[in-house]
Amino acid sequence: MPIMQVNVVTAVHAPYAAFLAPVWASLRSQTHEQWNWLVQIDGPPEAVTAAMAKCGALPDPRVHVAAHGTVEGPAVTRNLALSRATAPFVQNVDADDELERDALAQLTQALTLHPDAGFAVGRARDLLPTGEMRDHALPLTAGILPRGILLDRWRSTKDEYRLPVHPAGVMWRRTLLLSMGGWAALHGMEDTGLLMAASAAAHGVLLDASTLRYRKHPAQRSAQFSKFTGGGAQIDLIRQRAKVLMTYPVWSDQSGEH
């Protein structure tokens, strides 16, 4: 089985610079060694580059850092990193999260074994401020994720909101990611919008393994108060887009990058 290269994409802004050392440690511990790290800085770069220099990431030839100067948010920032990706597989890891030691190995293996799948995802464990890990049961069994199943299992009513898998830890086939237009222009749902569109277009793979450590902390974006009131409209848009994508033929990779 060929060992496939992975581009790991991280969008980061100055308030999250302190979390980059654990991300870097989790990358260096990966059992899959064919990766590089595409870091895209959102806003002023000084705090981020200083943190990366301090932990030893900055001079490493596997690390490629770019900045665009202004504050544009996670979707734009990830997409700018995606523009630099050349590997067949793209793994997102947020600046305050970590990958499990075997994450890249298991996810690349899943996509290699299932060439018709456009993405692979494992379970996410909450990384609590105490250092403890908290597991979550998923409403799906491991194996092939038929197109549309994540949309069907997404609970997004006024009384219940639950995603069937964690969208922040997905490994993407780069060609599917590009065909979806990258991360969606949504408020706080950039990865959810992408995941639901991709699931409507392509089959995926769910691993029976934890691949992501999702850090819980007071400064995380999802914990911040927001005056934004368009969440329901965003959910409607995601579902409408997915409904249209479900009418098209199932996506397949014609690039020869398997």
Side-chain angles (χ1 to χ4, degrees):
M1 183 183 300
I3 299 175
M4 303 298 281
Q5 181 76 18
V6 181
N7 290 142
V8 180
V9 166
T10 296
V12 60
H13 63 328
Y16 278 23
F19 296 117
L20 289 172
V23 182
W24 175 235
S26 79
L27 284 173
R28 288 188 290 112
S29 71
Q30 290 299 302
T31 55
H32 180 92
E33 298 179 348
Q34 299 300 313
W35 55 266
N36 56 32
W37 193 18
L38 306 181
V39 179
Q40 187 74 29
I41 304 173
D42 192 29
E46 292 80 9
V48 173
T49 55
M52 296 186 70
K54 184 177 180 180
C55 71
L58 197 59
D60 193 291
R62 297 170 294 182
V63 179
H64 308 276
V65 182
H68 46 269
T70 56
V71 177
E72 303 296 341
V76 170
T77 305
R78 290 177 193 151
N79 287 336
L80 289 171
L82 175 60
S83 74
R84 298 187 279 130
T86 57
F89 301 148
V90 176
Q91 172 69 49
N92 179 73
V93 59
D94 288 346
D96 54 342
D97 295 339
E98 301 172 20
L99 294 176
E100 301 281 7
R101 176 175 169 79
D102 292 325
L104 296 183
Q106 292 174 314
L107 292 164
T108 56
Q109 182 182 46
L111 288 178
T112 302
L113 289 174
H114 300 284
D116 292 333
F119 62 94
V121 61
R123 295 191 301 271
R125 300 194 293 168
D126 286 346
L127 174 55
L128 304 179
T130 60
E132 298 175 89
M133 298 286 191
R134 181 170 60 198
D135 291 300
H136 294 276
L138 298 182
L140 295 163
T141 56
I144 295 296
L145 296 170
R147 67 185 302 207
I149 193 171
L150 296 185
L151 191 72
D152 291 342
R153 300 296 179 89
W154 180 27
R155 301 291 175 255
S156 57
T157 66
K158 182 177 69 173
D159 300 320
E160 181 184 13
Y161 187 92
R162 178 187 171 95
L163 286 162
V165 298
H166 203 301
V170 179
M171 179 177 283
W172 300 98
R173 207 174 290 277
R174 184 173 62 93
T175 48
L176 175 62
L177 190 51
L178 291 172
S179 70
M180 293 291 101
W183 281 269
L186 298 169
H187 179 86
M189 301 183 74
E190 304 88 356
D191 46 12
T192 298
L194 167 61
L195 179 64
M196 292 304 162
S199 176
H203 305 307
V205 184
L206 175 61
L207 276 63
D208 185 18
S210 296
T211 57
L212 180 71
R213 302 174 198 149
Y214 179 69
R215 187 183 302 275
K216 307 286 283 187
H217 60 95
Q220 66 188 142
R221 287 178 182 270
S222 60
Q224 302 303 303
F225 173 77
S226 173
K227 295 182 180 180
F228 180 72
T229 60
Q234 288 193 148
I235 291 171
D236 289 343
L237 175 63
I238 292 169
R239 290 192 175 278
Q240 289 175 40
R241 182 188 185 196
K243 185 177 180 180
V244 171
L245 288 169
M246 288 290 293
T247 67
Y248 298 160
V250 65
W251 175 89
S252 64
D253 185 8
Q254 304 297 322
S255 68
E257 291 186 351
H258 297 316

